[in-house]
């Protein structure tokens, strides 16, 4: 089937009908290009959304307290349970599958360095909050367990806070001192949000200190405002959340059926929702893409039909000198597959190049869009598209090939 | 070489049935030079197409070189016999326009799966036989009608078939080129090839050694 003569024949027909071949190639090319391009762009949207999710661990729940709404065990509604350090210990011991717990206690305080004095949010934390939220350390280090064990007076400044207090070169702040509500703290690091967004401004302006230091120095009495709980590998946070909440409700005398009192939230449900949304978008793109591709393939089939019609006489001649139906079918099929495969491959290549180009340009120009990030073409999709194309080419050629095989040489060669 | 017994053929359309051949009895020996004559519509082409296994017949028997050519051969078998046993020459030449003279002549050999090199050598040899060696790389539209018909004859000879069938081979040519083409046929027959041609022209028919007259689907007269 694939000998030199077959290729020569194909080349001949292509050369004879340049415009027609070009239009056919364009149809399939465009179909594949659109499919790949759309899926690539879809992946860009998806990656942008999941980037935020990805940095915020999805196996995390947040727990906080709020005023109760039901009377319970002699307590009136409207009471505000206070979470504390001991709660963390209790959760660790009584709930299975809990990874780490990252508490945070907040306090607005005056932070002074030299002549500058500003009020900022002070966060008392253990070491893990940096893992939970989309934060990163720009200079120095974050709060460590040792800091907490020894209740050291160290602070990690938000980037903007550091800028205000120490000027542009925020790195120089490390090793210097700031005064928080009268107590001196050694600056050990600068942190900030990974991506600067309107809703991450708080992180830029916060000051983080060890939680135990906060309790001692500012008289917070073991208080925890809220905390994040992670699930261990193999456990689902959605299963851990109700256990943590009912444990805390019991510890703080909140009615088990009170919707308020102890609040909890995890990203898993949202994550699944967004996942579902993108699966939907992706399915839609596939349908549209395959529709376009199908149109291209119907085009090929059409063209091949015309080819057969135009070549009826030629096919008659070939049959008269001994061509078998199989040889005719194979030549039409080969031609059809060849045209589809080549144009499809070019479309695939163009799609991959354009998507890759967009990605490269965005990286080089450091474009940072919330909507679009790291578009890519999945290798599986590319291979799938190639397989699809070969099948499509065969299907497109089948009807015309059968028609060609049925050409009656006597009729085809009738002299007018 | 050829033996037809009571060959019948009818074309049926939706409303009519046209009997074209009504019982042809015909024997042609190896090496004969035969012309078939008859008025238009008498069934000459139909007979020739049956002989050439391009068309099937309704009843009777057809032996070609002692092989029974059954009336319901598969397309594949028909293609095989056509390729090995028969060389066709048509009134309108029927060359492939996008192939050179040499490639046209080589085409039947392609369907015999003969190697490329051998094909073009053989094709060249047969082009020489019809005096067109210098025109090997020309395309049909660069050749005169007479030259095209000579290429077609070379193509018919390329597979060294048992019989050459020609349907009005000079029908599209003027008398001078007709003459040239007939000279080639004469020579091919002189070398021993069986040759059957359909013609309307008396002087062409008289160059052959046997004339068969057909009328209303039957052989009217057979002889010189
Ligand atoms: N495929 C066909 N379907 C129906 N009728 C046909 C078909 N082919 C030929 N005929 C009819 O059969 C009859 C014989 O046709 P044929 O071509 O054999 O005649 P012919 O002797 O070769 O005529 P001419 O000298 O004009 O070439 C004609 O009446 C023709 O109309
Ligand atoms: Mg005729």
């Amino acid at each position: 089937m694939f000998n030199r003569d077959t290729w020569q024949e194909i080349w001949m027909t292509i050369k004879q009908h340049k415009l027609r071949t070009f239009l056919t190639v364009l149809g399939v090319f465009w179909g594949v290009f659109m499919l790949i391009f759309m899926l690539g762009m879809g992946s860009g949207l998806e990656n942008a959304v999941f980037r935020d999710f990805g940095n915020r661990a999805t196996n995390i729940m947040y727990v906080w307290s709020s005023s109760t709404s039901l009377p319970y065990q002699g307590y009136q509604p409207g009471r505000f349970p206070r979470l504390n350090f001991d709660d963390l210990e209790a959760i660790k011991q009584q709930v299975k599958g809990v990874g780490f717990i990252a508490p945070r206690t907040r306090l607005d305080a005056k932070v002074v360095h030299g002549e500058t004095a500003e009020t900022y949010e002070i966060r008392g934390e253990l070491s893990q909050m940096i893992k939970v939220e989309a934060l990163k350390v720009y200079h120095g280090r974050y709060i460590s367990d040792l800091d907490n064990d020894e209740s050291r007076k160290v602070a990690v400044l938000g980037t903007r806070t550091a800028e205000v207090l120490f000027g542009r070169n925020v790195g120089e702040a490390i090793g210097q001192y700031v005064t928080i509500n009268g107590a001196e703290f050694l600056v050990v690091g600068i942190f900030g949000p990974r991506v600067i967004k309107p809703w991450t401004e708080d992180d830029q302006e916060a000051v983080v200190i060890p939680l135990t230091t906060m309790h001692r120095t500012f008289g917070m009495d073991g208080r925890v405002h809220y905390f994040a709980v992670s699930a261990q590998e193999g456990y689902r946070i959605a299963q851990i959340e109700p256990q943590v909440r009912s444990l805390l409700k019991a510890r703080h005398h909140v009615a088990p059926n009170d919707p308020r009192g102890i609040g909890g939230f995890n990203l898993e449900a949202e994550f699944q929702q967004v996942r579902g949304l993108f699966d939907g978008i992706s399915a839609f793109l596939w349908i549209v893409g395959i529709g376009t591709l199908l149109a291209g393939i119907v085009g090929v089939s059409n063209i091949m039909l015309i080819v057969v019609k135009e070549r009826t006489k030629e096919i008659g001649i070939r049959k008269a000198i001994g061509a078998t139906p199989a040889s005719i079918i194979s030549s039409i099929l080969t031609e059809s597959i060849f045209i589809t495969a080549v144009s499809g491959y070019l479309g695939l290549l163009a799609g991959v190049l354009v998507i890759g180009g967009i990605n490269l340009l965005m990286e080089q120009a450091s474009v940072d869009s919330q909507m679009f990030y790291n578009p890519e073409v999945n290798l599986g999709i590319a291979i799938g598209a190639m397989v699809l194309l070969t099948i499509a080419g065969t299907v497109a050629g089948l009807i015309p090939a059968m028609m060609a095989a049925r050409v009656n040489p006597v009729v085809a060669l009738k002299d007018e | 070489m050829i033996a037809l017994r009571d060959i019948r053929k009818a074309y049926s359309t939706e409303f009519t049935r046209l009997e074209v051949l009504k019982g042809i009895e015909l024997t042609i020996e190896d090496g004969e030079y035969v012309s078939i004559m008859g008025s238009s519509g008498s069934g000459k082409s139909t007979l020739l197409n049956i002989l050439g296994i391009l068309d099937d017949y309704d009843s009777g028997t057809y032996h070609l070189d002692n092989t029974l050519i059954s009336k319901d051969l598969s397309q594949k078998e028909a293609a095989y016999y056509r390729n090995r046993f028969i060389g066709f020459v048509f009134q309108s030449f029927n060359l492939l326009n996008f192939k050179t003279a040499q490639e046209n002549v080589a085409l039947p050999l392609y369907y015999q799966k003969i190697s490329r090199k051998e094909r073009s050598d053989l094709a060249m040899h047969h082009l020489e036989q019809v005096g067109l060696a210098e025109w090997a790389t020309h395309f049909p539209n660069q050749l005169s009608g007479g030259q095209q018909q000579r290429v077609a004859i070379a193509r018919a000879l390329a597979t060294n078939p048992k019989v050459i069938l020609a349907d009005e081979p000079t029908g599209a040519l003027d008398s001078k080129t007709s003459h040239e083409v007939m000279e080639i046929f004469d020579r091919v027959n002189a070398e021993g090839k069986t040759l059957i041609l359909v013609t309307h022209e008396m002087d062409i028919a008289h160059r052959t050694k046997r004339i068969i007259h057909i009328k209303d689907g039957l052989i009217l007269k057979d002889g010189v």
Side-chain angles (χ1 to χ4, degrees):
Chain A
M1 186 169 173
F2 293 102
N3 57 34
R4 190 172 149 191
D5 295 287
T6 319
W7 292 119
Q8 202 189 16
E9 298 278 299
I10 291 171
W11 187 236
M12 277 295 182
T13 3
I14 288 172
K15 261 192 356 199
Q16 269 185 93
H17 309 284
K18 286 196 191 78
L19 179 66
R20 210 179 55 195
T21 310
F22 172 73
L23 290 175
T24 316
V25 167
L26 197 68
V28 176
F29 173 88
W30 191 245
V32 176
F33 176 77
M34 282 313 284
L35 177 66
I36 296 296
F37 182 73
M38 287 194 306
L39 290 173
M41 295 308 264
S43 85
L45 289 178
E46 194 172 329
N47 288 341
V49 168
F50 283 106
R51 174 173 56 169
D52 282 357
F53 264 117
N55 296 338
R56 248 164 204 280
T58 51
N59 62 341
I60 290 287
M61 68 174 285
Y62 281 89
V63 182
W64 61 90
S65 61
S66 60
S67 54
T68 58
S69 63
L70 295 174
Y72 189 62
Q73 293 179 345
Y75 290 97
Q76 291 296 310
R79 188 175 49 91
F80 201 100
R82 294 186 152 202
L83 300 178
N84 57 51
F85 226 54
D86 297 338
D87 290 330
L88 310 188
E89 220 32 59
I91 290 169
K92 267 189 196 151
Q93 272 159 25
Q94 293 176 44
V95 180
K96 259 186 75 176
V98 170
F100 59 80
I101 301 180
R104 181 178 283 163
T105 302
R106 302 195 308 192
L107 171 75
D108 283 340
K110 191 182 261 181
V111 181
V112 184
H113 172 75
E115 303 286 291
T116 325
E118 287 279 345
T119 301
Y120 290 115
E121 177 192 333
I122 312 297
R123 297 172 174 176
E125 292 181 12
L126 297 181
S127 60
Q128 277 105 342
M129 203 48 125
I130 190 104
K131 282 195 243 167
V132 177
E133 299 192 327
L135 302 172
K136 83 180 202 200
V137 173
Y138 286 88
H139 300 281
R141 62 176 181 85
Y142 205 66
I143 298 298
S144 71
D145 288 331
L146 204 63
D147 293 334
N148 271 288
D149 291 348
E150 299 182 355
S151 298
R152 290 176 178 168
K153 286 199 176 139
V154 293
V156 180
L157 306 183
T159 43
R160 191 171 299 162
T161 305
E163 247 177 63
V164 170
L165 297 177
F166 293 94
R168 279 261 148 226
N169 282 330
V170 292
E172 289 170 9
I174 291 170
Q176 303 201 50
Y177 287 88
V178 291
T179 311
I180 301 174
N181 272 8
E184 273 211 326
F185 282 77
L186 174 67
V187 177
V188 293
I190 309 291
F191 85 107
R194 280 173 205 246
V195 276
I196 313 242
K197 304 264 176 67
W199 60 88
T200 60
E201 278 183 13
D202 283 356
D203 295 328
Q204 291 176 271
E205 299 194 338
V207 174
V208 183
I209 62 173
L211 183 58
T212 55
T213 314
M214 184 173 230
H215 288 152
R216 281 196 195 171
T217 313
F218 303 124
M220 305 282 295
D221 196 22
R223 272 212 66 183
V224 169
H225 282 132
Y226 61 89
F227 55 87
V229 178
S230 81
Q232 280 173 12
E233 194 94 33
Y235 289 87
R236 287 186 47 212
I237 195 68
Q239 289 165 337
I240 289 176
E241 189 188 323
Q243 297 176 49
V244 169
R245 286 174 71 172
S246 53
L247 175 67
L248 290 176
K249 279 178 178 175
R251 286 174 61 83
H252 292 278
H253 314 287
V254 179
N257 57 342
D258 194 337
R260 297 177 50 83
I262 302 294
F265 163 78
N266 72 72
L267 280 173
E268 194 178 300
E270 263 84 284
F271 184 78
Q272 297 301 348
Q273 240 174 23
V274 176
R275 185 74 271 157
L277 174 71
F278 276 100
D279 286 350
I281 291 178
S282 165
F284 173 75
L285 292 183
W286 270 103
I287 291 170
V288 173
I290 288 188
T292 321
L293 193 60
L294 223 59
I297 284 155
V298 169
V300 175
S301 192
N302 245 326
I303 297 282
M304 294 311 293
L305 268 181
I306 297 171
V307 167
V308 169
K309 277 250 155 61
E310 270 181 12
R311 286 166 64 185
T312 309
K313 179 132 192 166
E314 177 196 328
I315 292 164
I317 295 171
R318 286 175 183 274
K319 284 192 154 184
I321 60 177
T324 56
S327 74
I328 305 242
I329 288 178
S330 115
S331 82
I332 302 274
L333 271 188
T334 317
E335 188 172 326
S336 164
I337 293 172
F338 177 73
I339 291 179
T340 330
V342 166
S343 40
Y345 183 72
L346 289 178
L348 187 71
L349 207 67
V352 170
L353 283 180
V354 168
I355 292 294
I358 291 175
N359 194 18
L360 195 74
L361 278 179
M362 282 182 66
E363 264 171 25
Q364 277 183 351
S366 310
V367 179
D368 189 41
S369 161
Q370 302 166 26
M371 297 304 298
F372 201 75
Y373 172 69
N374 187 22
E376 58 198 351
V377 179
N378 185 309
L379 184 70
I381 288 177
I383 292 170
M386 281 321 281
V387 172
L388 205 72
L389 269 177
T390 319
I391 297 172
T394 317
V395 172
L398 217 55
I399 298 170
M402 298 312 257
M403 261 187 60
R406 276 203 296 271
V407 164
N408 179 344
V410 178
V411 177
L413 295 179
K414 206 147 231 151
D415 293 322
E416 256 50 67
Chain B
M1 169 62 57
I2 284 171
L4 297 182
R5 295 290 163 260
D6 197 26
I7 290 289
R8 290 168 189 271
K9 171 81 179 172
Y11 287 114
S12 304
T13 57
E14 215 175 320
F15 306 107
T16 60
R17 188 182 144 82
L18 181 67
E19 270 196 90
V20 182
L21 302 179
K22 300 171 180 166
I24 298 282
E25 301 279 343
L26 180 63
T27 306
I28 293 170
E29 298 300 335
D30 203 359
E32 274 200 82
Y33 193 7
V34 184
S35 56
I36 300 172
M37 296 196 77
S39 56
S40 187
S42 57
K44 305 181 295 293
S45 295
T46 305
L47 177 59
L48 205 72
N49 288 338
I50 289 173
L51 288 176
I53 326 176
L54 275 182
D55 212 345
D56 51 6
Y57 52 95
D58 298 337
S59 66
T61 57
Y62 170 23
H63 284 89
L64 174 61
D65 196 34
N66 296 321
T67 311
L68 174 69
I69 305 297
S70 152
K71 64 184 163 68
D72 31 41
L73 282 183
S74 75
Q75 281 215 45
K76 194 178 163 193
E77 289 168 310
Y80 177 83
Y81 287 129
R82 239 178 264 150
N83 186 241
R84 304 282 160 152
F85 289 1
I86 288 149
F88 259 109
V89 178
F90 302 92
Q91 178 176 358
S92 52
F93 325 133
N94 285 339
L95 299 173
L96 298 187
N97 286 323
F98 54 89
K99 286 183 182 288
T100 63
Q102 192 177 4
E103 286 166 347
N104 265 289
V105 176
L107 195 58
L109 301 167
Y110 167 68
Y111 293 114
Q112 290 191 356
K113 312 245 183 303
I114 287 173
S115 82
R116 199 178 176 74
K117 172 89 177 69
E118 207 177 329
R119 275 191 337 247
S120 57
D121 288 352
L122 268 167
M124 200 60 199
H125 167 75
H126 284 100
L127 277 178
E128 274 164 24
Q129 296 291 296
V130 298
L132 287 176
E134 298 102 275
W135 301 85
T137 57
H138 286 65
F139 289 93
N141 59 11
Q142 298 167 321
L143 301 174
S144 73
Q147 287 172 324
Q148 288 187 56
Q149 194 60 304
R150 277 147 68 192
V151 173
I153 294 171
R155 180 178 66 185
L157 290 168
T159 55
N160 191 21
K162 300 199 180 305
V163 53
I164 300 278
L165 303 172
D167 195 349
E168 300 189 40
T170 58
L173 305 174
D174 61 34
S175 61
K176 185 172 163 290
T177 42
S178 294
H179 188 72
E180 287 167 13
V181 165
M182 286 314 290
E183 271 176 359
I184 293 173
F185 277 134
D186 292 350
R187 203 180 66 231
V188 168
N189 175 251
E191 287 164 7
K193 188 76 65 197
T194 313
L195 241 155
I196 304 171
L197 55 88
V198 167
T199 183
H200 279 293
E201 293 154 78
M202 224 36 215
D203 57 326
I204 298 286
H206 277 295
R207 295 181 72 132
T208 67
K209 294 171 186 158
R210 178 178 168 192
I211 302 176
I212 296 166
H213 289 272
I214 291 194
K215 193 180 177 199
D216 293 336
L218 284 168
I219 292 178
L220 186 71
K221 196 172 106 193
D222 189 347
V224 184

